[in-house]
Amino acid sequence: MKKFIYLLVTIISLTAASSFAQDKSGGGFINKGAGSLNIGFTSGFSNNTLGLMADYEIAQLGKDFTVGAFVDYQSWSGSGSTFGAGARFRWYADRVLNIQNPRWDLYAVGDVGFDFGHMNQLHWGIGVGAKFHITDSFGIQGNIGSGAQIGICIGL
């Protein structure tokens, strides 16, 4: 019964947050998502990898979501390396969190794709991140979750 109550509260909270986000409009709630190239160094927590990842946010899905393509290269000592490719989804939470500064973008991120090379497996990742726009076309970005990434973002 306790798990059911937690599930019910979670569903109600997400529904309320979603409707709250859709009701807000205009103002400083501007994300610079679609058209952004994000490049950074990565580290995987579950398998101690280091690598590079790049994603390009291709399309805006509604007001707060983007989808893009990603490629990455990961390597770890003694076990080889992999090349990955897939889709990266971002949910920009600026409006829900009432962040009105146009230099900041806060988001949740999720990846799904495939790794080729050493392990030939499904590639996935989840996390949260932020971008700080130094200018309209250049900034820094970072994600943390199932791994970590720090790098730059370029508006194309």
Side-chain angles (χ1 to χ4, degrees):
M1 185 67 171
K2 197 179 222 184
K3 288 183 181 181
F4 175 75
I5 291 172
Y6 286 138
L7 178 64
L8 187 61
V9 168
T10 302
I11 291 171
I12 290 170
S13 298
L14 288 174
T15 303
S18 173
S19 64
F20 173 73
Q22 297 305 318
D23 289 342
K24 284 228 175 218
S25 62
F29 302 105
I30 301 167
N31 73 61
K32 295 178 172 69
S36 289
L37 175 64
N38 307 292
I39 303 168
F41 294 103
T42 63
S43 174
F45 295 135
S46 64
N47 52 11
N48 297 321
T49 63
L50 292 175
L52 295 170
M53 181 177 226
D55 71 86
Y56 180 70
E57 294 176 64
I58 298 168
Q60 190 83 26
L61 305 174
K63 288 184 179 182
D64 298 328
F65 294 89
T66 63
V67 62
F70 80 83
V71 294
D72 76 341
Y73 172 79
Q74 297 181 25
S75 180
W76 50 97
S77 66
S79 297
S81 60
T82 63
F83 170 77
R88 175 168 267 190
F89 300 89
R90 278 190 176 84
W91 170 54
Y92 286 92
D94 297 16
R95 290 186 299 131
V96 172
L97 298 173
N98 199 26
I99 297 169
Q100 298 185 19
N101 187 329
R103 289 189 179 263
W104 282 100
D105 287 331
L106 297 179
Y107 54 85
V109 64
D111 306 334
V112 63
F114 295 98
D115 284 337
F116 307 99
H118 173 68
M119 299 183 78
N120 294 334
Q121 64 184 4
L122 181 67
H123 174 104
W124 67 272
I126 58 171
V128 294
K131 294 181 183 180
F132 179 74
H133 301 280
I134 297 166
T135 68
D136 277 346
S137 60
F138 182 78
I140 57 174
Q141 55 99 16
N143 304 328
I144 189 137
S146 53
Q149 177 181 13
I150 187 161
I152 60 171
C153 53
I154 303 165
L156 301 177

